[in-house]
Amino acid sequence: MSVIDEVLQANEIYARTHELRPLTPRPLRKLAVLTCMDTRLSIRTLGLKTGDAHIIRNAGGIVTDDSIRSLLVSHHLLGTEEFMVINHTDCGLMQTSEQDLRTRIQNRSGTAAISPAFFYAFQNIDENVRHQLQKLRTHPWIPQSVAIRGFVYDVSNGRLREIKDF
Ligand SMILES: [Zn+2]
C-alpha cells in the first residue's frame, strides 16, 4: 500500500468525528507564518493549534510572488494582523547554490527547463531572513499596521531566534 493509500484510510477514520469542523477560514489568533517545508518545523514547535494561524510554506520560507499572494489574501480577506517569517538552520537551500541546483536537476532529468526562474538558494541565514522582511515591508499592499517579524529556527535546540532588521 502506498503512503497516499494510508492517508486515505486515516482520513476515513478522521471523518467519523470531523472534530475540526467548527473552524472558520479566519485564523483564530490572526497570525500568518511563512516558513520552510522542512519536516522538523511544525505548529507544535510554535505552540499553535490547527485554526490558530495561516501556515504558508515553501522550500526555504521565501517571500516569492506566490507567498506574497497568500499573505495578501491572509491579511486583506481573512483578517491576519501579524506576519512571522521563519527560516531554519540546516536548510537544504543553504547547502547549494542557484547554479549548482539547476545543473544537478538538469543532469538528472536530461533536459533544461525555464521554470522555476529561481530556487532562492542562500548562504547567510540571518541575511536571508532580513531580505525576506525587506520584501514584505516594502510591499505597497501590506500596511504598516501589520506586524512583520523574522526568525531563525535552530533545528538542533528547537529555539527561535529573532532577526532584527533595523
Ligand atoms: Zn528548509
Side-chain angles (χ1 to χ4, degrees):
M1 191 165 59
S2 79
V3 177
I4 294 175
D5 289 325
E6 291 169 8
V7 167
L8 290 174
Q9 272 190 358
N11 171 253
E12 275 302 317
I13 294 163
Y14 167 77
R16 289 176 200 160
T17 57
H18 190 16
E19 61 198 53
L20 297 178
R21 187 172 180 177
L23 293 175
T24 79
R26 301 175 79 85
L28 287 166
R29 297 174 75 182
K30 301 185 178 187
L31 173 71
V33 179
L34 170 63
T35 192
C36 187
M37 64 189 188
D38 193 278
T39 53
R40 296 162 291 184
L41 280 155
S42 96
I43 54 172
R44 264 186 75 192
T45 316
L46 307 174
L48 296 170
K49 295 194 200 65
T50 302
D52 281 349
H54 280 141
I55 312 291
I56 298 148
R57 305 185 74 160
N58 60 29
I62 306 295
V63 176
T64 60
D65 187 65
D66 194 63
S67 49
I68 287 173
R69 184 180 67 85
S70 299
L71 288 166
L72 290 172
V73 169
S74 178
H75 171 68
H76 289 284
L77 275 63
L78 297 166
T80 56
E81 290 165 1
E82 297 182 55
F83 292 171
M84 205 173 174
V85 177
I86 308 175
N87 287 185
H88 68 97
T89 58
D90 194 38
C91 187
L93 285 182
M94 283 178 79
Q95 291 145 14
T96 182
S97 69
E98 202 71 28
Q99 194 49 54
D100 173 60
L101 200 46
R102 192 163 290 280
T103 306
R104 254 199 285 169
I105 298 175
Q106 187 166 318
N107 289 345
R108 286 185 66 159
S109 312
T111 183
I114 54 158
S115 156
F118 301 105
F119 281 99
Y120 299 97
F122 60 92
Q123 308 302 320
N124 182 318
I125 194 166
D126 289 25
E127 222 171 77
N128 196 59
V129 171
R130 277 191 206 98
H131 188 208
Q132 308 319 308
L133 293 175
Q134 192 186 23
K135 285 190 270 186
L136 293 177
R137 290 195 207 287
T138 55
H139 197 283
W141 287 353
I142 301 174
Q144 299 274 319
S145 60
V146 174
I148 302 169
R149 292 167 67 179
F151 302 84
V152 170
Y153 177 71
D154 187 330
V155 295
S156 65
N157 65 19
R159 279 181 208 287
L160 289 173
R161 175 169 60 85
E162 183 152 17
I163 302 298
K164 298 284 188 185
D165 66 333
F166 43 77

